[in-house]
Amino acid sequence: MASSIEVTVPRLGWSMEEGSFCRWLKEEGEMVREGDGLYELEGDKATQVVESFDAGVLRIGPDGPQSGDIVKVGQVLAHLEPRGGKAAAPKAPAAQQAQAAPAATNGNGAKAAEKKTNGAPAPNGNGSHAAAAPAAQPPQAAVPEKTSASTAPVASPSVRRLARELGIDLQKCDRDDPSPLSAAELMRLAAQPSAQPAATPVARAVVSGDVAVTPRAKRVASELNVDPADAVGSGRNGRIREQDVRAIAANASSKPAAKVSAASAGGAAIGEPITQIRRVIAQRMMAASHETAPVTLTARADASELVRFRDECKRTSVERGVNPPSYTELFVKLCAAALEKHPALLDQWVNERLVKAEGVNIAVAVATPNGLMTPVIRDVPRLSLRELSASFANLIELARTQRLAADQMRGGAFTVSSLGGYRVEAFTPILNPPQTAILGIGRISEQPVAKQRQLVVADVVNLSLTFDHRVVDGAPAAAFLTSLCDVIENPLAWLLG
């Protein structure tokens, strides 16, 4: 009888360690076909439908995940059993196996003993004799002796394509099963640490008790006079990182104020649980603050021509019954023009190397009820203004309805964040690692401007460029900001070209 197939938590991104389980899309005992949506999982800033790579009857155990449960990458959530078969019992942890009873028991609770007749094995139903064993073991196929030259397991073209997308070298898969490699098994391999792409060697973590602590986290803990053992590790296998140490230090400093607040309320403080999206945003903001060298440059640009262009677009759009482009879309298009002149701002610092971007893919910060999202508009210079507007409108709708896929937020090389819809003149945007730069756009307001020794009123916008000084020096960043101001002040050639 064919064995059941485990339903596990996939790694939706290489930085993902855990996710928040949302809900099952199939019921217990329901037939699942290959490609069917099994459940919804909230991962890195997005809720995704996880599809099944195999077919079978869904069996959810009594300890199956509930809505809101935090699940780890690789965790078994349920099983798919073949039609008419029985699901295999979940594997018990090694510690439980070690504590298991040394001998099997029969239905009456007594130990199963080998029955003998005059020193010979008991006869079976056919009258012949068969030796009794302490526990029935399935027949094991002979395993060929491993050689130094490993060969890739048998796999279908779709599984091989998935392996390439996950960065898994099938030649290095340690697998003795001669049967074809399934997509589900490949996803389990991707969830293992050994399946991740090789990264630049880092310092080994020191161990504090039973918890690993990175050397950097230990140094920061000494500087802040905190015990790293009190931190909740966010790294792999619970490893304590620098941001975890800083988190408990910040929490310790805020405790007195929290007590006063609770006392003034006349009872214990009751907080809301942090969502997975909020947790990811916090981690990335902390990473941007502590793992980059951010510098912010500011400039003012005369946006009078841009305002006139949009007013004309609004007038003609009403006549044609379409929506005019927003200022954010216009600035994204103009940023792409400036980035083509200064591509160094698209480079990224990854694993101690500078990685060149493939195309001008611009992420746009979008505020949603669940937190900040950054969908990516790809190959912006190739898009016409109408195509860009349609693409951005679709991404905003997906983001605000929690239907934005993780792939639609990957691959951005530059971010645009606009608060122009509020009464915000200027602000300091925070980098979105591993990106090198982010542009903050304030509101457009009428201000006095000197032109040809005369004072006139113009529509002025404040621009704030935050960049990573590890990748780009001040002069190239300033040159980009200058070019951007130039295209904003003379936008027609870039918007209509």
Side-chain angles (χ1 to χ4, degrees), residues 339-407:
L339 286 169
E340 285 189 304
K341 296 181 179 180
H342 305 276
L345 275 82
L346 299 173
D347 295 346
Q348 297 181 359
W349 185 289
V350 180
N351 294 332
E352 302 300 320
R353 291 179 178 273
L354 286 183
V355 179
K356 299 292 183 181
E358 297 181 359
V360 182
N361 303 325
I362 298 181
V364 184
V366 177
T368 73
N370 297 300
L372 189 67
M373 301 285 188
T374 53
V376 177
I377 305 175
R378 304 188 185 280
D379 202 3
V380 176
R382 182 186 59 83
L383 300 177
S384 67
L385 187 56
R386 181 177 299 180
E387 292 171 335
L388 189 152
S389 297
S391 175
F392 187 47
N394 179 58
L395 290 171
I396 289 179
E397 177 64 21
L398 293 175
R400 291 177 176 169
T401 56
Q402 301 185 49
R403 294 182 292 120
L404 196 63
D407 286 342

Coordinates of all heavy atoms in Angstrom, one line a residue, residues 339-407:
L339 N 17.2 57.0 -12.9 CA 17.9 55.9 -12.6 C 18.7 55.3 -13.8 O 19.7 54.7 -13.6 CB 17.0 54.8 -12.0 CG 16.5 55.1 -10.6 CD1 15.4 54.1 -10.2 CD2 17.7 55.0 -9.6
E340 N 18.1 55.4 -15.0 CA 18.8 55.0 -16.2 C 20.1 55.8 -16.4 O 21.1 55.2 -16.9 CB 17.9 55.1 -17.4 CG 16.8 54.0 -17.5 CD 16.1 54.0 -18.8 OE1 15.6 55.1 -19.1 OE2 16.1 53.0 -19.5
K341 N 20.1 57.0 -15.9 CA 21.3 57.8 -16.0 C 22.3 57.5 -14.9 O 23.5 57.7 -15.0 CB 21.0 59.3 -15.9 CG 20.1 59.8 -17.1 CD 19.9 61.3 -16.9 CE 19.1 61.9 -18.1 NZ 18.8 63.3 -17.9
H342 N 21.8 57.0 -13.8 CA 22.7 56.7 -12.6 C 22.4 55.3 -12.1 O 21.8 55.1 -11.0 CB 22.4 57.8 -11.5 CG 22.6 59.2 -12.0 ND1 23.8 59.8 -12.0 CD2 21.7 60.1 -12.4 CE1 23.7 61.0 -12.5 NE2 22.4 61.2 -12.7
P343 N 22.7 54.3 -12.8 CA 22.4 52.9 -12.4 C 23.1 52.4 -11.2 O 22.7 51.4 -10.6 CB 22.8 52.1 -13.6 CG 23.9 52.9 -14.3 CD 23.5 54.3 -14.1
A344 N 24.1 53.1 -10.6 CA 24.8 52.7 -9.4 C 23.8 52.6 -8.2 O 24.0 51.8 -7.3 CB 25.9 53.6 -9.1
L345 N 22.7 53.4 -8.3 CA 21.8 53.4 -7.1 C 20.9 52.1 -7.2 O 20.2 51.9 -6.2 CB 20.9 54.6 -7.1 CG 21.5 55.8 -6.4 CD1 22.5 56.6 -7.3 CD2 20.5 56.7 -5.9
L346 N 21.0 51.3 -8.2 CA 20.3 50.1 -8.3 C 21.1 48.9 -7.8 O 20.6 47.8 -7.6 CB 19.9 49.8 -9.8 CG 18.9 50.9 -10.4 CD1 18.7 50.5 -11.9 CD2 17.6 50.9 -9.7
D347 N 22.4 49.1 -7.6 CA 23.2 48.0 -7.1 C 22.8 47.6 -5.6 O 22.3 48.5 -4.9 CB 24.7 48.4 -7.1 CG 25.3 48.6 -8.5 OD1 24.6 48.2 -9.4 OD2 26.3 49.2 -8.6
Q348 N 23.1 46.4 -5.2 CA 22.7 45.9 -3.9 C 23.8 45.2 -3.2 O 24.6 44.5 -3.8 CB 21.5 45.0 -4.0 CG 20.2 45.7 -4.6 CD 19.0 44.8 -4.7 OE1 19.1 43.6 -4.3 NE2 17.9 45.3 -5.1
W349 N 23.9 45.4 -1.9 CA 24.9 44.8 -1.1 C 24.3 43.5 -0.6 O 23.5 43.5 0.3 CB 25.3 45.7 0.1 CG 26.4 45.2 1.0 CD1 26.4 44.2 1.8 CD2 27.7 45.8 1.1 NE1 27.6 44.0 2.5 CE2 28.4 45.0 2.0 CE3 28.3 46.9 0.5 CZ2 29.7 45.3 2.4 CZ3 29.6 47.1 0.8 CH2 30.3 46.4 1.8
V350 N 24.8 42.3 -1.1 CA 24.3 41.0 -0.8 C 25.5 40.1 -0.5 O 26.4 39.9 -1.3 CB 23.5 40.4 -1.9 CG1 22.9 39.1 -1.5 CG2 22.3 41.4 -2.2
N351 N 25.6 39.6 0.8 CA 26.6 38.6 1.1 C 28.0 39.2 0.8 O 28.8 38.5 0.2 CB 26.4 37.3 0.5 CG 25.1 36.6 1.0 OD1 24.7 36.8 2.1 ND2 24.5 35.8 0.2
E352 N 28.3 40.4 1.2 CA 29.6 41.1 1.0 C 30.0 41.2 -0.5 O 31.1 41.2 -0.8 CB 30.7 40.3 1.8 CG 30.4 40.1 3.3 CD 30.3 41.5 3.9 OE1 31.1 42.4 3.6 OE2 29.5 41.7 4.8
R353 N 29.0 41.3 -1.3 CA 29.2 41.5 -2.7 C 28.2 42.5 -3.3 O 27.1 42.6 -2.8 CB 29.1 40.2 -3.5 CG 30.1 39.1 -3.3 CD 29.9 37.9 -4.1 NE 30.9 36.9 -3.8 CZ 32.1 36.9 -4.5 NH1 32.3 37.7 -5.5 NH2 33.0 35.9 -4.3
L354 N 28.6 43.2 -4.3 CA 27.7 44.2 -5.0 C 27.1 43.4 -6.2 O 27.7 42.9 -7.1 CB 28.5 45.4 -5.5 CG 29.0 46.4 -4.5 CD1 29.6 47.6 -5.1 CD2 27.8 46.9 -3.6
V355 N 25.7 43.4 -6.1 CA 25.0 42.7 -7.1 C 24.3 43.7 -8.0 O 23.6 44.6 -7.5 CB 23.9 41.8 -6.4 CG1 23.1 41.0 -7.5 CG2 24.6 40.7 -5.5
K356 N 24.5 43.5 -9.3 CA 23.9 44.4 -10.3 C 22.4 44.1 -10.5 O 22.1 42.9 -10.6 CB 24.6 44.3 -11.6 CG 26.1 44.7 -11.6 CD 26.2 46.2 -11.3 CE 27.7 46.6 -11.3 NZ 27.9 48.1 -11.0
A357 N 21.6 45.1 -10.6 CA 20.1 44.8 -10.8 C 19.9 44.5 -12.2 O 20.5 44.9 -13.1 CB 19.3 46.1 -10.4
E358 N 18.8 43.7 -12.4 CA 18.4 43.3 -13.7 C 17.1 44.1 -14.1 O 16.0 43.7 -13.7 CB 18.1 41.8 -13.8 CG 19.4 40.9 -13.6 CD 19.0 39.4 -13.7 OE1 17.9 39.1 -13.9 OE2 20.0 38.6 -13.5
G359 N 17.3 45.2 -14.7 CA 16.2 46.0 -15.1 C 15.9 47.1 -14.0 O 16.3 46.9 -12.8
V360 N 15.1 48.1 -14.4 CA 14.7 49.1 -13.4 C 13.4 48.7 -12.8 O 12.3 49.1 -13.4 CB 14.6 50.5 -14.1 CG1 14.3 51.6 -13.1 CG2 16.0 50.8 -14.8
N361 N 13.4 48.0 -11.8 CA 12.2 47.5 -11.1 C 12.0 48.4 -9.8 O 12.9 48.3 -8.9 CB 12.3 46.0 -10.7 CG 12.5 45.2 -11.9 OD1 12.0 45.4 -13.0 ND2 13.3 44.1 -11.8
I362 N 10.9 49.1 -9.7 CA 10.7 50.1 -8.6 C 9.6 49.6 -7.7 O 8.5 49.3 -8.2 CB 10.4 51.5 -9.2 CG1 11.6 52.0 -10.0 CG2 10.1 52.4 -8.1 CD1 11.4 53.3 -10.6
A363 N 9.9 49.5 -6.4 CA 8.9 49.2 -5.4 C 8.2 50.5 -5.0 O 8.9 51.5 -4.9 CB 9.6 48.5 -4.2
V364 N 7.0 50.4 -4.7 CA 6.2 51.6 -4.2 C 5.6 51.2 -2.9 O 4.9 50.2 -2.7 CB 5.1 52.0 -5.2 CG1 4.4 53.2 -4.8 CG2 5.7 52.2 -6.6
A365 N 5.8 52.1 -1.9 CA 5.2 51.9 -0.5 C 3.7 52.2 -0.6 O 3.3 53.2 -1.0 CB 5.9 52.8 0.5
V366 N 2.9 51.2 -0.1 CA 1.5 51.3 -0.1 C 1.0 51.0 1.3 O 1.3 50.0 1.9 CB 0.8 50.3 -1.1 CG1 -0.7 50.4 -1.1 CG2 1.3 50.5 -2.5
A367 N 0.2 52.0 1.8 CA -0.4 51.8 3.2 C -1.6 51.0 3.0 O -2.5 51.2 2.2 CB -0.7 53.2 3.8
T368 N -1.7 49.9 3.9 CA -2.9 49.0 3.9 C -3.4 48.9 5.4 O -2.6 49.2 6.3 CB -2.6 47.6 3.4 OG1 -1.8 46.9 4.3 CG2 -1.9 47.7 2.0
P369 N -4.6 48.5 5.6 CA -5.0 48.3 7.0 C -4.2 47.3 7.8 O -4.1 47.4 9.0 CB -6.5 47.7 6.8 CG -6.9 48.2 5.5 CD -5.7 48.2 4.6
N370 N -3.4 46.4 7.1 CA -2.6 45.5 7.9 C -1.1 45.9 8.0 O -0.4 45.1 8.6 CB -2.7 44.1 7.1 CG -4.1 43.6 7.2 OD1 -4.7 43.3 8.2 ND2 -4.7 43.4 6.0
G371 N -0.8 47.0 7.4 CA 0.6 47.4 7.4 C 1.1 47.8 6.1 O 0.4 47.8 5.1
L372 N 2.4 48.2 6.0 CA 3.0 48.7 4.8 C 3.4 47.6 3.9 O 4.0 46.6 4.3 CB 4.3 49.5 5.2 CG 4.9 50.4 4.1 CD1 4.0 51.5 3.7 CD2 6.3 50.9 4.6
M373 N 3.0 47.8 2.6 CA 3.3 46.8 1.6 C 4.2 47.5 0.5 O 4.0 48.7 0.3 CB 2.1 46.2 0.9 CG 1.2 45.5 1.8 SD 1.8 43.9 2.3 CE 0.4 43.2 3.2
T374 N 5.0 46.8 -0.2 CA 5.9 47.4 -1.2 C 5.8 46.6 -2.5 O 6.8 45.9 -2.9 CB 7.4 47.5 -0.8 OG1 7.8 46.2 -0.3 CG2 7.5 48.5 0.4
P375 N 4.7 46.6 -3.2 CA 4.6 45.9 -4.5 C 5.6 46.5 -5.5 O 6.0 47.7 -5.4 CB 3.2 46.1 -5.0 CG 2.7 47.4 -4.2 CD 3.5 47.4 -2.9
V376 N 6.0 45.7 -6.5 CA 7.1 46.1 -7.4 C 6.5 46.2 -8.8 O 5.8 45.4 -9.3 CB 8.2 45.0 -7.4 CG1 9.3 45.4 -8.4 CG2 8.8 44.9 -6.0
I377 N 6.8 47.4 -9.4 CA 6.5 47.6 -10.8 C 7.7 47.3 -11.6 O 8.8 48.0 -11.4 CB 6.0 49.1 -11.1 CG1 4.8 49.5 -10.1 CG2 5.6 49.3 -12.5 CD1 4.4 50.9 -10.2
R378 N 7.6 46.4 -12.5 CA 8.8 45.9 -13.2 C 9.1 46.6 -14.5 O 8.1 46.9 -15.3 CB 8.7 44.4 -13.4 CG 8.4 43.6 -12.1 CD 8.5 42.1 -12.2 NE 8.1 41.5 -11.0 CZ 8.9 41.4 -9.9 NH1 10.2 41.8 -10.0 NH2 8.5 40.8 -8.8
D379 N 10.4 46.8 -14.8 CA 10.8 47.3 -16.1 C 10.1 48.6 -16.4 O 9.4 48.7 -17.5 CB 10.7 46.3 -17.2 CG 11.6 46.6 -18.4 OD1 12.4 47.5 -18.3 OD2 11.5 45.8 -19.4
V380 N 10.1 49.6 -15.5 CA 9.3 50.8 -15.6 C 9.7 51.6 -16.9 O 8.7 52.1 -17.6 CB 9.6 51.7 -14.4 CG1 8.8 53.0 -14.6 CG2 9.1 51.0 -13.1
P381 N 10.9 51.7 -17.4 CA 11.2 52.5 -18.6 C 10.4 51.9 -19.8 O 10.1 52.7 -20.7 CB 12.7 52.4 -18.8 CG 13.2 52.1 -17.4 CD 12.2 51.3 -16.7
R382 N 10.2 50.6 -19.8 CA 9.5 50.0 -21.0 C 8.0 50.3 -21.0 O 7.4 50.3 -22.1 CB 9.7 48.5 -21.0 CG 9.1 47.7 -22.1 CD 9.3 46.3 -21.9 NE 8.6 45.8 -20.7 CZ 7.3 45.5 -20.6 NH1 6.5 45.7 -21.7 NH2 6.8 45.1 -19.5
L383 N 7.4 50.7 -19.9 CA 6.0 50.9 -19.8 C 5.6 52.3 -20.2 O 6.3 53.2 -19.9 CB 5.5 50.6 -18.3 CG 5.8 49.2 -17.7 CD1 5.3 49.2 -16.3 CD2 5.1 48.1 -18.5
S384 N 4.5 52.4 -20.9 CA 3.9 53.7 -21.2 C 3.3 54.2 -19.9 O 3.0 53.4 -18.9 CB 2.9 53.6 -22.3 OG 1.8 52.8 -21.9
L385 N 2.9 55.4 -19.8 CA 2.3 56.0 -18.6 C 1.0 55.3 -18.4 O 0.6 55.0 -17.2 CB 2.1 57.5 -18.8 CG 1.6 58.2 -17.5 CD1 2.5 58.0 -16.3 CD2 1.5 59.7 -17.8
R386 N 0.2 55.0 -19.4 CA -1.1 54.3 -19.2 C -0.9 52.9 -18.7 O -1.6 52.4 -17.8 CB -1.8 54.2 -20.6 CG -3.2 53.6 -20.5 CD -3.9 53.6 -21.8 NE -4.1 55.0 -22.2 CZ -4.8 55.3 -23.4 NH1 -5.2 54.4 -24.2 NH2 -4.9 56.6 -23.7
E387 N 0.1 52.1 -19.2 CA 0.4 50.8 -18.7 C 0.9 50.8 -17.3 O 0.5 49.9 -16.5 CB 1.5 50.1 -19.6 CG 1.0 49.8 -21.0 CD 2.1 49.4 -21.9 OE1 3.3 49.7 -21.7 OE2 1.8 48.7 -23.0
L388 N 1.7 51.8 -17.0 CA 2.2 51.9 -15.6 C 1.1 52.2 -14.6 O 1.0 51.6 -13.6 CB 3.2 53.0 -15.5 CG 4.0 53.2 -14.2 CD1 5.4 53.8 -14.5 CD2 3.3 54.0 -13.2
S389 N 0.1 53.0 -15.0 CA -1.0 53.4 -14.2 C -1.9 52.1 -13.9 O -2.4 51.9 -12.8 CB -1.9 54.5 -14.8 OG -1.1 55.7 -14.9
A390 N -2.1 51.4 -15.0 CA -2.9 50.2 -14.9 C -2.3 49.1 -14.0 O -2.9 48.5 -13.1 CB -3.2 49.6 -16.3
S391 N -1.0 48.9 -14.1 CA -0.2 48.0 -13.3 C -0.2 48.4 -11.9 O -0.5 47.6 -11.0 CB 1.2 47.9 -13.8 OG 2.0 47.0 -13.0
F392 N 0.0 49.7 -11.6 CA 0.0 50.1 -10.2 C -1.4 50.0 -9.6 O -1.5 49.7 -8.4 CB 0.5 51.6 -10.2 CG 0.8 52.1 -8.8 CD1 1.5 51.3 -7.8 CD2 0.3 53.3 -8.4 CE1 1.7 51.8 -6.6 CE2 0.5 53.8 -7.1 CZ 1.2 53.0 -6.2
A393 N -2.4 50.4 -10.3 CA -3.8 50.3 -9.7 C -4.1 48.9 -9.4 O -4.7 48.6 -8.3 CB -4.8 50.8 -10.8
N394 N -3.7 47.9 -10.2 CA -3.9 46.5 -9.9 C -3.2 46.1 -8.7 O -3.7 45.4 -7.8 CB -3.5 45.6 -11.1 CG -3.7 44.2 -10.8 OD1 -4.8 43.7 -10.5 ND2 -2.7 43.4 -11.0
L395 N -1.9 46.5 -8.5 CA -1.1 46.1 -7.4 C -1.7 46.7 -6.1 O -1.7 46.1 -5.0 CB 0.3 46.6 -7.6 CG 1.1 45.8 -8.6 CD1 2.5 46.5 -8.9 CD2 1.4 44.4 -8.2
I396 N -2.2 47.9 -6.1 CA -2.8 48.6 -4.9 C -4.0 47.8 -4.5 O -4.2 47.5 -3.3 CB -3.1 50.0 -5.2 CG1 -1.8 50.9 -5.4 CG2 -4.0 50.6 -4.1 CD1 -2.1 52.3 -5.7
E397 N -4.8 47.4 -5.5 CA -6.0 46.7 -5.1 C -5.7 45.3 -4.5 O -6.3 44.9 -3.5 CB -6.9 46.4 -6.4 CG -8.1 45.6 -6.2 CD -9.1 46.2 -5.3 OE1 -9.1 47.5 -5.1 OE2 -10.0 45.5 -4.7
L398 N -4.7 44.6 -5.0 CA -4.3 43.3 -4.4 C -3.7 43.5 -3.0 O -4.0 42.7 -2.1 CB -3.2 42.7 -5.4 CG -3.7 42.2 -6.7 CD1 -2.5 41.7 -7.6 CD2 -4.8 41.1 -6.6
A399 N -2.9 44.6 -2.9 CA -2.3 44.8 -1.5 C -3.4 45.1 -0.5 O -3.3 44.6 0.6 CB -1.3 46.0 -1.6
R400 N -4.3 46.0 -0.8 CA -5.3 46.4 0.2 C -6.4 45.3 0.4 O -7.1 45.4 1.4 CB -6.0 47.7 -0.3 CG -5.0 48.8 -0.2 CD -5.6 50.1 -0.7 NE -4.6 51.2 -0.5 CZ -4.7 52.4 -1.1 NH1 -5.7 52.7 -1.8 NH2 -3.7 53.3 -0.9
T401 N -6.5 44.3 -0.4 CA -7.4 43.2 -0.2 C -6.6 41.9 0.2 O -7.2 40.8 0.2 CB -8.2 42.9 -1.5 OG1 -7.3 42.6 -2.6 CG2 -9.1 44.1 -1.8
Q402 N -5.3 42.1 0.6 CA -4.5 41.0 1.1 C -4.4 39.8 0.1 O -4.4 38.7 0.5 CB -5.1 40.4 2.4 CG -5.1 41.5 3.5 CD -5.6 40.9 4.8 OE1 -5.0 39.9 5.3 NE2 -6.6 41.5 5.5
R403 N -4.4 40.2 -1.2 CA -4.2 39.1 -2.2 C -2.9 39.3 -3.0 O -2.7 38.7 -4.0 CB -5.4 39.2 -3.2 CG -6.7 38.8 -2.5 CD -7.9 38.8 -3.5 NE -8.2 40.1 -4.0 CZ -8.2 40.5 -5.2 NH1 -7.8 39.7 -6.2 NH2 -8.5 41.7 -5.6
L404 N -2.0 40.1 -2.4 CA -0.7 40.4 -3.1 C 0.2 39.2 -2.8 O 0.4 38.8 -1.7 CB -0.1 41.6 -2.5 CG 1.0 42.3 -3.3 CD1 0.5 42.7 -4.7 CD2 1.6 43.4 -2.5
A405 N 0.7 38.6 -3.9 CA 1.6 37.4 -3.8 C 3.0 37.9 -3.5 O 3.4 39.0 -3.7 CB 1.6 36.7 -5.1
A406 N 3.8 37.0 -2.9 CA 5.1 37.3 -2.5 C 6.0 37.7 -3.7 O 6.8 38.6 -3.6 CB 5.8 36.2 -1.7
D407 N 5.8 37.0 -4.8 CA 6.6 37.3 -6.0 C 6.3 38.7 -6.5 O 7.2 39.3 -7.1 CB 6.2 36.3 -7.1 CG 6.8 34.9 -6.9 OD1 7.7 34.8 -6.1 OD2 6.3 34.0 -7.5

